Amino acid sequence: MNKLLMKVMLFSMFCFAACQKISVTDATAESLGIHKFDGTIYEYIEQGDVALGFRYDSLELLLNQETESFKKLTNLRDMLNDVNGEYTLFAMPDECFEEASKNWRLIRKGSGRSEKLSLKELFEYEYQREVEIKNPDETDRENPTIIVTLTFDYKNSLDTLVSRYVMEGLYDFNTIYVNEDSQLSVESLNYSYEMLLNCGYGSANGIVQGGAPYLDLVDTRETLMTDRWKKARVCWMDIQCDNGIVHVLTPGHEFGFGDFISYFKNYGYE
């Protein structure tokens, strides 16, 4: 009898949650206070999200890399730590970097190349070699070819990919939702790369717009051909920090929107 009563109670709780726009899980997270973080966006990254169970160690590692010749990522860190700034970050849990690394290793293994990869080593890597090319000065008949030194490093590529997840300004769910088609075109920080913010409510029990809210960060690939766009879904949104807003991407998202492989596939084999 007690078991039957327990089953009835659990079924009633499930039915109640299914009719709401917020689930039992979300309500529990809400009670833990993850909609408000007392600190900057960078401090949120540094601390991680205990309520959601996410760490951002990989993102923090990149933001803390610095060389005399390259300070873009550390400048990005300083902006995300500036209490007078206003930024929106789509935060990538460590699992997003692991997903990109896993796919990168599979490609490398298939071509018989080394599968070793460290973000720190990737950032610090630099290789130079001399190549002979056609002399662009066609009037120089005595030297039809010239020797040039090619330098390979991946700092700018890492910065380019990270910057796609950050934009200047405050973009919470409601700000995006009130726009036409609940979409908003924005430029990523540093490189003015076009990204699309798209949100709405899903369906529930056959009722359109009756379900839980969703928010997507879309890489438009600088094309109007929507079939080439890459989408990353948010699993938790609107975390208010002292200098902006954080939306947390699902752990299944691949950091770089699939570009990690193409950017770094020749690492060590230039």
Side-chain angles (χ1 to χ4, degrees):
M1 182 66 180
N2 289 337
K3 289 183 179 180
L4 179 60
L5 179 61
M6 181 62 71
K7 289 180 179 179
V8 171
M9 291 176 63
L10 289 174
F11 180 75
S12 299
M13 290 175 63
F14 175 80
C15 292
F16 174 78
C19 295
Q20 310 302 307
K21 284 188 176 180
I22 186 168
S23 68
V24 172
T25 302
D26 292 339
T28 302
E30 173 81 27
S31 68
L32 293 174
I34 66 168
H35 271 307
K36 179 69 176 71
F37 178 79
D38 186 17
T40 64
I41 293 175
Y42 177 74
E43 288 171 332
Y44 168 80
I45 295 169
E46 190 177 38
Q47 180 174 306
D49 198 313
V50 177
L52 292 176
F54 290 144
R55 299 291 306 177
Y56 306 104
D57 295 340
S58 296
L59 178 57
E60 182 187 356
L61 173 70
L62 286 177
L63 294 176
N64 282 295
Q65 297 302 307
E66 182 174 351
T67 65
E68 287 300 318
S69 61
F70 190 89
K71 298 180 182 295
K72 290 183 181 179
L73 283 168
T74 48
N75 289 341
L76 177 57
R77 178 198 65 195
D78 293 341
M79 284 188 280
L80 295 179
N81 204 29
D82 179 8
V83 293
N84 296 314
E86 289 187 340
Y87 302 101
T88 298
L89 168 71
F90 285 79
M92 303 144 280
D94 288 339
E95 290 85 350
C96 296
F97 288 88
E98 292 169 6
E99 185 71 17
S101 297
K102 178 187 71 176
N103 294 332
W104 181 90
R105 287 193 297 268
L106 287 173
I107 294 295
R108 301 271 293 191
K109 183 178 180 180
S111 61
R113 299 182 176 185
S114 170
E115 300 170 50
K116 182 181 178 182
L117 176 67
S118 160
L119 283 176
K120 184 175 177 60
E121 290 176 340
L122 189 58
F123 180 86
E124 295 175 347
Y125 181 80
E126 187 171 304
Y127 173 71
Q128 291 183 335
R129 62 181 169 91
E130 293 182 342
V131 296
E132 186 177 17
I133 66 169
K134 181 181 178 180
N135 192 340
D137 184 4
E138 296 181 354
T139 63
D140 187 357
R141 303 298 183 182
E142 295 183 0
N143 300 291
T145 61
I146 59 175
I147 302 297
V148 297
T149 300
L150 298 180
T151 300
F152 300 88
D153 72 56
Y154 298 104
K155 299 177 182 64
N156 269 306
S157 296
L158 286 167
D159 176 59
T160 297
L161 293 183
V162 171
S163 294
R164 292 183 189 179
Y165 298 87
V166 191
M167 54 266 337
E168 191 169 8
L170 305 178
Y171 299 103
D172 60 9
F173 178 89
N174 289 330
T175 299
I176 305 164
Y177 188 68
V178 297
N179 279 269
E180 184 179 358
D181 298 326
S182 301
Q183 293 184 348
L184 192 60
S185 178
V186 297
E187 290 185 347
S188 68
L189 204 62
N190 293 338
Y191 295 96
S192 300
Y193 185 88
E194 185 182 8
M195 302 293 289
L196 186 69
L197 310 181
N198 177 49
C199 69
Y201 291 94
S203 301
N205 297 328
I207 303 175
V208 178
Q209 299 284 305
Y214 67 85
L215 172 60
D216 294 327
L217 175 66
V218 184
D219 184 350
T220 63
R221 324 295 280 185
E222 298 185 314
T223 177
L224 296 177
M225 300 175 64
T226 58
D227 59 327
R228 294 180 58 191
W229 292 1
K230 299 287 186 178
K231 179 175 67 177
R233 177 138 297 187
V234 164
C235 66
W236 194 260
M237 63 185 73
D238 290 354
I239 300 174
Q240 306 290 328
C241 298
D242 291 347
N243 62 341
I245 296 167
V246 174
H247 306 294
V248 183
L249 294 173
T250 59
H253 167 65
E254 180 182 341
F255 167 65
F257 292 88
D259 283 341
F260 192 88
I261 292 173
S262 60
Y263 274 47
F264 310 118
K265 64 182 179 182
N266 291 325
Y267 166 60
Y269 292 87
E270 293 79 7

